[in-house]
Every structure is written in C-alpha cells, then in structure tokens.
Amino acid sequence: MKKPAPVNSETYIILADLLKRKRSDFKIRKVEEVLSSDLSVPQKIKKIYAIDSMPEQSSQRKNGSFIKHEINFSSLNPHSDIITRQKSEKFREIIKREFLHQSYLSFIIHDFLNIIVNFAVSKKPSILKYSYIPPKIQLNLKNALIYNSSVKQPAAVLYDELTIINEKGWMLLTREKYNLLMAFINFCRLASGIDAVLLLNSGKSIIKNIREIEKLFLTCCYKPGFCRDICNSAVVMKKSSGEGTLTEKQITALIKKILLQDISAYTMHDFLTEINILHYNRYLTFSDLITTEEISPVSNFDYEFPPNLQNAKKPVLEELEKDMNRIITDLQEINKIDKFIKYDENGDMDKTVFLNYYNSLKTGRKRIFIQDKTQPVLFIKNCIEVFLSNFEDIISGSIEMKPVGMVAVFHENIFKNHIDILNFSYNRLTRIIDKAGHSVKSVLKPSINSDRKDASSENETKKIISAAVDEFEKIAGKMISIIDNSENPVPNKANYNPVTENQILEKRVSIPCPGSIVRHRSDINGKQVLEILNDILEFCLISALEVGNSRLSVLISSKFSLKRELFSKKDNLKKITNPIEYRNIKERINFPAIFFN
C-alpha cells in the first residue's frame, strides 16, 4: 500500500490561516465537513478554497447532511404583524444554531487555547474541567449541584408563583407578551424538574435531553428586551390577581437572576454553553447558540393558554361583545335624535323653535322659559300645555288645510295613549301648583324639617314629572321613525289617508298632504304639515332634555363618553382576539367601519 506523501509545516500554516477566515454559518459547516473527512491536508485546503468561492445560501443540518431550510422565511416576514403559533414553533426548532462535532485536530488548532483562557479568566465554578496532556475537556461532576442553587431553586419558586397569578389578569397583556411569559413559565417547570447529576451522567444523550428546555430558554433570551417584558408582565399579573406569596420585587429579582448573564455568578447561560462546548468539542459563547434570523419565536396570533385556562377567553369575549352592542345601540339612538337637534356656533342646542312656542302669548298666558326652567313642576306643566294647545289636533284628530279642508294626518290610535297621559299629568301638576301657591319654587326641594307625608308627596310629584317626560320622549321617538321613513308623495296623486301603525312598523310611511298649509288658532297656523311634524319632534326633545335627569338627557350628555368607551372596548377587543375572532365579531357588530379600522 502506497504511503501518503509527507506534509511540510508550511502546508499546516496555510490550513491554519484558512481556518481563521470569517464565513457564514453555511460555509462554516461546509468547512467542518471537510475537516472531519479522511482527505489529506492538501486536499482539504483545496476543498476549503472551493467552498470560499461558492455563493452564499441558507442551510440546515438534517440527518447528518446539509439541506436547504424547509421553512419559508418569507412567510415569517418580520414586517408582518401576525406570527401564528405554527410559525413560531417552526422557528423555535431552528432558534439554536446547529454545529458539527469538530475534529480533534481542528479543536487543538482552533479552540482549545480559547477554552483554557476562558477558564483562567473566569472566577465562576464550572461543570467542565480540562487537561493539557492529552489536551481535552470533560465533565466535572463534582460541580453538578451548582445548577440547583443558580437555576433549579429560583425556577421552582417562580413556577409555583407564576402558575397561581397566571389564572387572572391575562387579558391585561397582549397576546405576544402573554405567550412570552408562558414560555418562561414552561421553562421554569422543566428547569425545576431537572436532576443535574443524572443529566450530566447521560453521556451522548445529554444534548438531546436538554433540547426542549434549551429552546424555551433561548426563546426567553432571544431579544434584549424580552427579560424586561417578562418582568413587567409578571408584575401586571401579580397586581391583577393579588395572590401568591412573593412581592413584585422578589418576582422581578428571581426572573433577572435566571435570564440575565452575570460575570460573577453561575447562570443558565453558562450551563447550556458548557454542555454545548462539551458536546460539539469547540469553543462557544452563549450568543453563538442563538440564530440571527429576524423573526420572533413568540406567537402574537392568539393566547397560548395552559390546559386549565383553555376556556378563559370565551366568557370575556361574550361579555365584551355584549357591552359593545349595548353602547352601539345607545349611540345609534343618539345619532337618530341628534340629527334633529340644531346646534349654534358654540355647540349649544339651538332652542329657537322651542322658545317660539313656549314663550308665545297665543294661548292667552305669559310664560318665560328662563324663569320657569328652574321650577320643574311649573316647567313641565307649561310644556304639556303648549304641546296640547298647538299639536293635539294634528296628531290625534283632524285639522284644516289649504285648500283641501279637514284632514286626519294620523290614525287616532297612534298618539291617543300619549295624549291621555299628558292630559292626566297636566291636571295633576296643575293641582300641585294650585296647592303650593307662592311656594311653587320649593316643590321638589326637600327641607330638613320635611316629614314623611311631605316626602311621599314629593315622590309622587317626581313620578308625575317622570311620566310626562317619558311621553315626550316616546312621541319624539315615533316622530323620528315617521319622518325618517316617510316616502315622497307621488306626483299628481293626492293622498288623504292617515298614517297607520302598520306603516310605521313597516317603515314605509305616507304622510297625507305634507306640503299643505295648516289653518289653526295656535302657532302652527300658516305652516306646512311636514314642518309642523319637525316642530313637534324638536319641541318634545327639548322638553325632555331640559329636565336634567331624564333618560334622554342622560343619553345625549353621555354621547362623547360612550364613544370613548366604545373605542376603548374596541382596542381591548383587538388586543385579546386573534384576527379570525376579531373579524367574526366585527361582522356581527352592526356599526360604521370607522370603529374597526
């Protein structure tokens, strides 16, 4: 058998210089393959030159050979807002850089000195030890228990604490921050269950045995801000739940002890790095273990709840959707009303139409709005009087119109019940005022000496006023529906049929003679029918709104706070739902798209 030609020292120098070159991960692995082969040194040099001339490409070690990544990184675009659980789990599979077992020759030339220097500089204990003759590194089982004090014990305490507080407050966190916290909790669960002595005695299986805990730890350390996010999320959950035995400061200190590197204390970073140094027979730092792809290993698609919280989100979403529908219903009612209320340049309600009726002398008695509005009993009584004097005939009977004569605009049953209640309220309030005489201003203003009888009378008065205001609101509501759903009259075809209840229900209202001029003894004289209906609506609205505690006044005054509340709930909905849930709820909630941009 022909012996290989001897290799001179210059050839080894060339090889050493080649190994010092900077290369991509892909080319480093290719060079490592060459170094571990049975080729002669000159052939290895030739192969390495060829590798350096190759174009760059992404690779991944699988089944002992190199193949292209199976993961499509364009689908994990860092500029995309959504990272699904499947995408994040796929990325976690490659979050750690893959290394080849380095040849002994390469280890001696390339890494052994660095390892020696690192041992010499570091003052921390280690699970590794080295020898010069022969040059090698091996486990130092005497130091196996340093894992317990540095990682296992704080992880066990944190796991118990975080598991308790995790049951509440999840909705205060974004999906991504919750899932990051869950990755840390799962790490603590695994870390607290490791027996370091058994692990370090598992031989070649050691790297396989730490695979899951390694993925979780690298995930928690993947970005510089992740430790801060985990601390903040744990504090938020602690404040929300108020449970557990640790203080917020204690929780934060333990998290930092596990996740932050420390030049003076042994940490999980050291533990994982040393296991990888031993397994791959090469000098490594912790940062070498983490791949540099700009993709988050944490899903922001949905909350990744533990088994005991799988159904936690459903009732929260149901309640949130219910609240939003309630607010939307109120806002829709406000919008319907608001378009019939005129506002002046200062944003205040324009009461011109209302005042023209209220302060009119045509009913034979002087009323002054500015004075009367401070006296609820007198004010509501006058509003009823003005309403009945001007509008009772047109909404519950027949009225004369030019040039057609007497016409019934509405079927008598539509407003009859409202008119009856207003007449009853008017008579009761008139008696209360007559009885009070000059002390009418004091009505509804309880005194210290008022007895039970006075209190009972006051409650009765409040009920009468409230009933009258309710009728004004109901009349306004019907009038809004009538005006909103009125159909344009057919040209050259007269309509003298009164509006019916069915027309209002079916939202197809045909108002008779809408443009005809009314002849009447009151302030509606000379106005068109449709104009009077708008006046009725405005008068009823202002009458109700001027009574500060009416349902309508509360509703109108809450318009802006309701909008703020809706936007807040929409933001919360967007925070806690995945895109599919958000789209489905958005489709169910019937509201303008501006609230769901």
Side-chain angles (χ1 to χ4, degrees):
M1 183 176 180
K2 188 177 179 181
K3 293 183 178 180
V7 180
N8 59 36
S9 59
E10 187 176 346
T11 306
Y12 280 113
I13 293 173
I14 294 172
L15 177 60
D17 287 339
L18 276 176
L19 295 177
K20 292 177 181 178
R21 289 184 178 181
K22 290 185 177 180
R23 296 179 178 88
S24 66
D25 288 349
F26 169 68
K27 288 186 177 181
I28 288 173
R29 291 165 184 155
K30 282 291 187 183
V31 170
E32 288 170 346
E33 274 190 313
V34 172
L35 292 173
S36 61
S37 69
D38 294 330
L39 296 173
S40 66
V41 174
Q43 287 174 319
K44 289 179 179 179
I45 291 172
K46 186 177 179 179
K47 286 278 189 181
I48 292 171
Y49 276 126
I51 289 170
D52 286 343
S53 65
M54 290 169 57
E56 295 288 352
Q57 57 179 306
S58 178
S59 65
Q60 174 72 17
R61 181 170 173 79
K62 185 177 181 182
N63 298 328
S65 61
F66 286 94
I67 63 169
K68 289 184 178 179
H69 278 316
E70 293 179 355
I71 297 175
N72 178 9
F73 281 104
S74 64
S75 68
L76 301 180
N77 186 341
H79 301 294
S80 174
D81 288 339
I82 299 301
I83 298 174
T84 63
R85 182 171 189 165
Q86 291 76 11
K87 287 180 179 179
S88 65
E89 286 178 350
K90 283 182 179 180
F91 181 57
R92 283 186 198 176
E93 291 300 320
I94 59 165
I95 193 172
K96 179 190 173 185
R97 280 200 181 100
E98 292 290 343
F99 304 98
L100 282 173
H101 290 276
Q102 188 167 227
S103 68
Y104 186 69
L105 174 63
S106 180
F107 168 69
I108 297 300
I109 295 173
H110 218 34
D111 292 322
F112 186 63
L113 182 60
N114 285 332
I115 294 172
I116 299 295
V117 171
N118 185 64
F119 273 111
V121 172
S122 176
K123 296 180 180 180
K124 295 187 283 186
S126 173
I127 60 169
L128 297 181
K129 61 184 179 180
Y130 65 91
S131 63
Y132 287 109
I133 302 175
K136 66 177 180 178
I137 54 170
Q138 57 189 11
L139 283 172
N140 182 8
L141 293 177
K142 290 181 180 179
N143 285 340
L145 294 180
I146 61 173
Y147 170 84
N148 290 352
S149 59
S150 60
V151 180
K152 184 173 182 175
Q153 291 173 3
V157 173
L158 278 173
Y159 178 67
D160 291 340
E161 183 78 12
L162 295 177
T163 301
I164 293 172
I165 66 176
N166 182 41
E167 295 180 5
K168 297 179 181 178
W170 58 266
M171 67 194 75
L172 300 175
L173 303 179
T174 62
R175 301 183 295 274
E176 184 175 14
K177 288 186 177 178
Y178 179 84
N179 294 339
L180 176 61
L181 181 63
M182 280 307 303
F184 180 71
I185 293 174
N186 288 330
F187 162 79
C188 290
R189 174 177 57 82
L190 295 179
S192 61
I194 285 180
D195 186 314
V197 176
L198 288 178
L199 175 67
L200 297 179
N201 274 307
S202 59
K204 292 183 179 181
S205 299
I206 187 171
I207 204 77
K208 179 181 178 182
N209 292 339
I210 66 164
R211 179 64 177 148
E212 191 60 34
I213 193 172
E214 187 177 45
K215 282 194 298 182
L216 289 169
F217 190 74
L218 294 181
T219 295
C220 295
C221 297
Y222 185 70
K223 292 182 179 179
F226 273 7
C227 177
R228 180 190 65 246
D229 289 342
I230 291 170
C231 288
N232 291 341
S233 297
V235 168
V236 167
M237 299 276 269
K238 174 70 177 178
K239 287 180 178 177
S240 173
S241 70
E243 298 180 6
T245 58
L246 300 180
T247 65
E248 294 167 16
K249 286 184 177 180
Q250 288 172 326
I251 293 172
T252 301
L254 287 174
I255 293 172
K256 289 179 178 179
K257 181 176 181 179
I258 292 176
L259 291 182
L260 295 182
Q261 288 181 284
D262 191 330
I263 60 172
S264 61
Y266 195 81
T267 65
M268 188 67 183
H269 308 76
D270 302 311
F271 187 72
L272 291 179
T273 303
E274 291 177 349
I275 288 176
N276 279 277
I277 287 174
L278 180 69
H279 183 77
Y280 293 110
N281 205 32
R282 63 172 63 241
Y283 175 73
L284 295 168
T285 64
F286 181 74
S287 60
D288 293 329
L289 301 183
I290 303 179
T291 189
T292 55
E293 299 290 350
E294 290 297 320
I295 305 160
S296 177
V298 182
S299 169
N300 63 0
F301 179 76
D302 204 352
Y303 292 91
E304 296 174 5
F305 292 114
N308 63 314
L309 294 178
Q310 286 299 315
N311 298 319
K313 190 164 71 166
K314 184 178 178 182
V316 174
L317 290 183
E318 289 175 349
E319 187 65 26
L320 196 55
E321 186 175 350
K322 180 181 176 182
D323 287 345
M324 291 181 73
N325 276 319
R326 171 186 55 78
I327 297 169
I328 288 166
T329 299
D330 287 346
L331 284 172
Q332 287 173 331
E333 184 177 355
I334 291 171
N335 287 341
K336 280 184 179 179
I337 296 167
D338 221 21
K339 67 182 180 181
F340 291 100
I341 299 176
K342 300 181 182 72
Y343 293 92
D344 60 26
E345 57 185 14
N346 296 320
D348 298 321
M349 281 188 295
D350 185 348
K351 303 183 180 76
T352 303
V353 172
F354 173 85
L355 295 176
N356 287 340
Y357 283 104
Y358 189 90
N359 293 332
S360 173
L361 296 175
K362 280 197 175 182
T363 52
R365 196 169 59 79
K366 186 177 180 180
R367 289 175 294 272
I368 302 175
F369 170 73
I370 294 177
Q371 295 178 1
D372 296 349
K373 71 175 183 177
T374 61
Q375 306 173 59
V377 178
L378 181 61
F379 174 69
I380 290 299
K381 180 252 184 187
N382 285 344
C383 286
I384 297 173
E385 183 180 38
V386 172
F387 179 87
L388 295 174
S389 299
N390 285 280
F391 307 128
E392 182 176 5
D393 290 343
I394 195 170
I395 65 173
S396 66
S398 298
I399 197 162
E400 185 179 354
M401 301 181 190
K402 290 183 182 179
V404 297
M406 299 296 291
V407 177
V409 180
F410 298 99
H411 191 280
E412 61 181 7
N413 289 333
I414 293 178
F415 291 101
K416 183 179 184 303
N417 189 52
H418 305 303
I419 295 294
D420 289 345
I421 293 175
L422 287 177
N423 272 308
F424 175 79
S425 299
Y426 177 79
N427 293 331
R428 294 292 301 273
L429 292 173
T430 300
R431 285 199 293 272
I432 290 170
I433 291 171
D434 290 342
K435 185 177 179 181
H438 294 294
S439 62
V440 67
K441 288 185 179 182
S442 65
V443 177
L444 298 184
K445 292 182 180 179
S447 63
I448 297 175
N449 299 319
S450 57
D451 56 24
R452 188 174 299 176
K453 184 177 180 181
D454 291 334
S456 175
S457 176
E458 180 183 316
N459 288 334
E460 184 65 25
T461 303
K462 286 180 178 179
K463 287 180 182 179
I464 296 170
I465 292 175
S466 179
V469 170
D470 284 346
E471 294 311 308
F472 280 131
E473 290 181 358
K474 289 174 184 177
I475 293 170
K478 277 190 178 180
M479 204 58 73
I480 287 172
S481 182
I482 289 166
I483 295 171
D484 264 355
N485 299 297
S486 62
E487 298 177 337
N488 293 326
V490 179
N492 302 320
K493 185 178 180 181
N495 171 34
Y496 302 110
N497 299 316
V499 174
T500 65
E501 198 77 58
N502 283 340
Q503 288 180 10
I504 299 173
L505 293 173
E506 293 171 3
K507 297 183 178 181
R508 297 186 62 183
V509 178
S510 180
I511 299 172
C513 312
S516 296
I517 302 297
V518 169
R519 295 187 63 182
H520 197 258
R521 63 186 180 280
S522 67
D523 288 295
I524 67 172
N525 184 59
K527 293 188 174 186
Q528 293 181 345
V529 171
L530 193 56
E531 181 184 4
I532 296 169
L533 300 189
N534 277 281
D535 287 355
I536 292 172
L537 171 55
E538 189 170 337
F539 186 89
C540 289
L541 288 176
I542 301 296
S543 297
L545 288 170
E546 283 298 321
V547 180
N549 61 348
S550 72
R551 187 192 69 87
L552 193 60
S553 64
V554 172
L555 194 62
I556 293 294
S557 63
S558 66
K559 176 173 64 175
F560 296 108
S561 62
L562 283 172
K563 285 184 177 180
R564 284 194 299 271
E565 185 181 0
L566 182 59
F567 275 116
S568 175
K569 289 188 180 295
K570 188 266 292 186
D571 289 340
N572 192 32
L573 180 73
K574 198 168 188 178
K575 182 178 77 174
I576 69 173
T577 54
N578 65 50
I580 296 172
E581 290 171 333
Y582 184 74
R583 182 195 64 202
N584 291 340
I585 292 175
K586 174 183 171 181
E587 289 174 353
R588 289 198 296 271
I589 294 179
N590 179 28
F591 205 65
I594 187 173
F595 284 92
F596 290 97
N597 50 23

